[in-house]
């Protein structure tokens, strides 16, 4: 297959590109930094995977909010326009989204049929997906991947968590009752690959492990994996002082479940949190 990927040099894009090339696919990285992609670069591709966007994990200043939103909304719009103008058109667009789509909903189980929540990140995800779904107007199959917290020690949220936990000063954040919709990097790559390949895959899919856990449970599991205590609570006030409004990603959460991937027959390689952390951190489960 011929596959074009935006954000191919990022954490997810790099792993996905390597996996696709390993099975014999032709993968082309598409940069959006220099402006809209050319339709010629996308012509004849079997699928386009859209991962590019301003990092969400930063202090949400006014300028940062604008960059986060515009990179996703305007960047996706430009990509969809290029897809529509390509000849022949790609058959599928698999576009990143986030579990933040659902906002903060406490312990409510959230599947792909659940409505969006409220707040900056939720609003950004709704606008982001709307631009991606516009590709369907030209007959392109569209999948939007609502991703949870990705477990990979090479980057992302887990990499930022590791230093205090290794020192034995990690612990639950903001009381620890909020849910954390986690997923092992291998399963995230697996879901993207299945979405590329499967004609039955369309619409939103939750890229989260079958059983999300609370922040407190996750903290204890990470402590076990590192053989370190994990009892030092981190007050919500301290997180908000450090990150501002962006703290809601950590202090609030979503109990998102992967109803659609399971219905479509996807089998999770790492469905158990202790095993997933052990695999990511390359330690033996206790």
């Amino acid at each position: 297959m011929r596959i074009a990927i935006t954000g191919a040099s990022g954490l997810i894009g790099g792993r996905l590109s390597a996996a696709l090339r390993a099975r014999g696919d032709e993968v082309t990285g598409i940069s959006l930094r220099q402006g809209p992609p050319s339709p010629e670069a996308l012509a004849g591709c079997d699928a386009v995977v859209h991962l590019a966007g301003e990092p969400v994990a930063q202090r949400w200043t006014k300028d940062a909010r604008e960059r986060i939103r515009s990179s996703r909304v305007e960047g996706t719009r430009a990509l969809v326009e290029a897809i529509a103008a390509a000849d022949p058109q790609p058959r599928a667009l698999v576009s990143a989204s986030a579990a933040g789509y659902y906002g903060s909903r406490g312990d409510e189980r959230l599947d792909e049929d659940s409505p969006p929540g409220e707040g900056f990140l939720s609003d950004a995800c709704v606008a982001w997906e709307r631009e991606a779904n516009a590709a369907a107007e030209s007959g392109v199959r569209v999948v939007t991947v609502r991703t949870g917290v990705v477990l990979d020690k090479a980057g992302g949220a887990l990499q930022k968590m590791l230093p205090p936990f290794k020192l034995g000063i990690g612990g639950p954040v903001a009381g620890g009752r909020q849910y954390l919709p986690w997923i092992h990097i291998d399963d995230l790559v697996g879901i993207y690959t299945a979405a590329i390949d499967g004609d039955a895959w369309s619409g939103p899919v939750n890229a989260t492990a079958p059983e999300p856990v609370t922040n407190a449970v996750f903290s204890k599991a990470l402590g076990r994996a590192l053989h370190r205590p994990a009892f030092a609570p981190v007050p919500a006030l301290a997180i908000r002082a450090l990150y501002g409004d962006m703290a809601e990603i950590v202090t609030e959460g979503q109990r998102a479940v992967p109803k659609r991937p399971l219905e479509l027959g996807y089998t999770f390689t790492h469905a158990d949190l202790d095993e997933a952390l052990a695999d990511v951190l390359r330690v033996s489960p206790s």
Side-chain angles (χ1 to χ4, degrees):
M1 297 178 72
R2 291 185 58 203
I3 300 164
I5 301 179
T6 73
S9 62
L11 175 67
I12 299 168
R15 291 290 295 270
L16 178 59
S17 297
L20 294 173
R21 289 191 176 109
R23 70 176 198 173
D25 292 336
E26 178 185 338
V27 178
T28 301
I30 302 293
S31 175
L32 301 182
R33 293 179 181 177
Q34 306 303 318
S38 68
E40 292 75 21
L42 306 177
C45 287
D46 293 287
V48 177
V49 178
H50 182 36
L51 301 170
E54 177 77 10
V56 172
Q58 58 177 299
R59 196 175 184 90
W60 288 350
T61 63
K62 181 179 179 181
D63 287 345
R65 286 173 183 263
E66 179 56 32
R67 290 195 305 272
I68 291 168
R69 183 179 173 85
S70 65
S71 68
R72 285 161 173 75
V73 174
E74 295 172 16
T76 305
R77 182 180 302 151
L79 179 64
V80 168
E81 289 173 353
I83 289 172
D87 186 19
Q89 280 188 345
R91 297 200 302 267
L93 169 63
V94 184
S95 184
S97 185
Y101 172 94
Y102 301 107
S104 177
R105 310 275 276 275
D107 63 358
E108 179 185 355
R109 288 179 70 88
L110 302 165
D111 62 33
E112 293 85 352
D113 295 323
S114 301
E118 299 178 350
F120 167 69
L121 187 55
S122 178
D123 291 347
C125 288
V126 169
W128 189 7
E129 291 188 15
R130 182 170 58 243
E131 296 297 335
N133 287 329
E137 296 174 7
S138 56
V140 175
R141 178 173 60 86
V142 179
V143 186
T144 52
V145 183
R146 295 172 181 167
T147 306
V149 175
V150 181
L151 301 189
D152 188 330
K153 67 178 179 181
L158 182 60
Q159 184 187 48
K160 293 179 174 62
M161 295 178 196
L162 287 176
F165 274 86
K166 286 181 176 178
L167 292 172
I169 55 173
V173 174
R177 291 183 297 275
Q178 69 278 26
Y179 273 84
L180 189 149
W182 63 276
I183 186 168
H184 190 291
I185 184 66
D186 290 351
D187 279 316
L188 181 57
V189 168
I191 285 175
Y192 268 99
T193 302
I196 290 167
D197 294 344
D199 290 340
W201 288 66
S202 65
V205 298
N206 286 345
T208 58
E211 290 299 329
V213 298
T214 64
N215 182 275
V217 170
F218 183 88
S219 296
K220 290 179 181 178
L222 183 54
R224 284 195 300 272
L226 295 169
H227 305 292
R228 295 288 188 276
F231 303 110
V234 182
L237 187 62
I239 297 295
R240 293 193 184 99
L242 184 61
Y243 295 117
D245 290 344
M246 193 276 284
E248 72 179 52
I249 295 177
V250 180
T251 60
E252 302 173 4
Q254 302 82 32
R255 194 179 183 183
V257 294
K259 177 183 174 184
R260 284 295 292 151
L262 293 173
E263 287 177 344
L264 290 164
Y266 182 78
T267 301
F268 282 81
T269 305
H270 304 283
D272 178 79
L273 178 58
D274 285 312
E275 184 279 328
L277 285 169
D279 182 80
V280 167
L281 299 171
R282 298 293 189 270
V283 297
S284 299
S286 55

